[in-house]
Amino acid sequence: MSQDKTATTDAVPILTGAGAPKKLHIKTYGCQMNVYDSERMAEAMGPEGYELTDDPAQADMVLLNTCHIRERAAEKVYHELGRLRPLKEARPDLKIGVAGCVAQAEGEEIRRRMPLVDLVVGSQSYHKLPAMVKAVDAGKKPVDTEFPLEDKFDHLPERPSTTRPTAFLTVQEGCDKFCAFCVVPYTRGAEVSRPAERIMGEANKLVAKGVREITLLGQNVNAYHGPGADGDWSLARLVRELAKIDGLERIRYMTSHPNDMEDDLIAAHGDEPKLMPYLHLPVQSGSDRVLKAMNRKHTASEYIALIEKIRAGRPDLVLSGDFIVGFPGESDQDFEDTLELVRRVNYGMAYSFKYSARPGTPAAERKDLVPDDVADARLQRLQALLGEQQRACQDAMVGRECTVLVEKPGKLEGQWVGKSDYLQAVHLRGEGLAPGVMARVRIVSAVRNSLHGELI
Ligand code: SAH
Ligand code: SF4
Ligand code: F3S
């Protein structure tokens, strides 16, 4: 998952209520789930008369949708709040809200540290946002970090028209895995799968509005088991039913856990053409000793065997992963084992992080910390290896034909950007290109993080 990227939710057209529109600025941190949630919060505020703005200085309300995964991620929130202070002092009626995983984890504490915050809304309470904003208008400072029994998505307004050909769709939330280092089971709660019909309904509407690619989201998306009219649906069943929707060209899902990679999903990778040949399957470490201490409940060789099984059905599969270096007790040999696993698997793309102790997690109790300089050096070596593999994967595309889903205009005049089946950014030019076009392209060059293609 692409944490640590700070993205401003860009122009989602939203419904507007009566009166002059008020402006809402949302800043999104963390994973794709937060990106999806930010869109849904923007939509929830539409009927309240709020329109999105990219500029916090223009905003009547600023909402930070936060991430708690590593210390740096959590601290960003406080830095950003500090930067908002002059705005709030100049315009005391500016509303400032904190949403997302820091809100869930720290709740009231945020207001103690930053009294300028008007409301704190945890990740399961977004449907209550309009009511909370009204409470702020009435002079209150609401905090809601409940895990309510109802599904927040049932209480959010219908998704409005979109101008983008790709969409995220959350199908599962929460995590029961309790990896020793991770806050997600605490910030997002237990694993919950949304009912299959709701997802199918949402997908059908997205496609009717022009969406060509849907990425199914979940903290453990392949643990999806949702109630359907004819019983339990697995993720594979969901993928196969979605694939029947005319006009939907591509299906992706993220993020997955190796232990939830069931046979029917592996089979779908082999024979469902709309399921894209790109899989994000984090392993975290290549050392069995560290994997055990992390509570990952699988070994390195089991992971490698799993990858081989998936690749047997889909040989061109591009793999992506997440790694943590410097987990407490990680020895030089453990780290070498991680490098060895990376060499065996060969990733097209991967995220790697230095271990960050998170309050409340079991690993945070450990005293056998890896010195910072050792962890830094390991991270550098791992990133160098992963970088080489990513470049090799990009270079191997040169000369090949592939399909690109055009997403938006590029930075240069006449240029368009889209994604290959393998989720690589491709720049191209040509007649008839527009968002949503599926273009057949020959890749002519690979530069840094993108490919250049020519229309065939
Ligand atoms: N549910 C997903 C994503 C979890 S968070 C999964 O299981 O893969 C995304 C990534 O952040 C994790 O895969 C892990 O590599 C990293 N991460 C999580 N907690 C961390 C911590 N305490 N320190 C450093 N990296 C962490
Ligand atoms: Fe965190 Fe592990 Fe759950 Fe992923 S599987 S969200 S790393 S606890
Ligand atoms: Fe961060 Fe929460 Fe996602 S902690 S990675 S925003 S689930």
Side-chain angles (χ1 to χ4, degrees), residues 28 36 51 55 187 196 282 326 340 406 444:
T28 307
Y36 177 84
E51 272 177 3
D55 180 6
T187 63
E340 187 49 33
V406 178
V444 290

Side-chain angles (χ1 to χ4, degrees), residues 1 3 69-70 175 177 179 181-184 218-220 255-257 280-284 296 321-325 351-358 361:
M1 286 202 162
Q3 303 81 21
I69 200 81
R70 284 169 291 275
C175 181
K177 296 282 189 292
C179 298
F181 50 82
C182 184
V183 292
V184 170
Q219 263 89 30
N220 262 316
T255 295
S256 316
H257 192 287
H280 184 75
L281 197 62
V283 64
Q284 315 298 353
R296 290 290 291 185
D322 292 345
F323 294 88
I324 295 177
V325 301
Y351 303 93
S352 46
F353 312 100
K354 194 163 74 166
Y355 168 73
S356 168
R358 306 306 293 129
T361 61

Side-chain angles (χ1 to χ4, degrees), residues 129 162 267 417:
L129 190 59
T162 167
V417 200

Side-chain angles (χ1 to χ4, degrees), residues 1-4 29-34 65-70 73 100-102 123 173 182-184 187-188 219:
M1 286 202 162
S2 60
Q3 303 81 21
D4 265 24
Y29 303 84
C31 62
Q32 284 82 353
M33 187 87 70
N34 267 8
N65 193 8
T66 62
C67 175
H68 201 243
I69 200 81
R70 284 169 291 275
C101 291
V102 176
S123 46
E173 252 192 286
C182 184
V183 292
V184 170
T187 63
R188 291 278 174 168
Q219 263 89 30

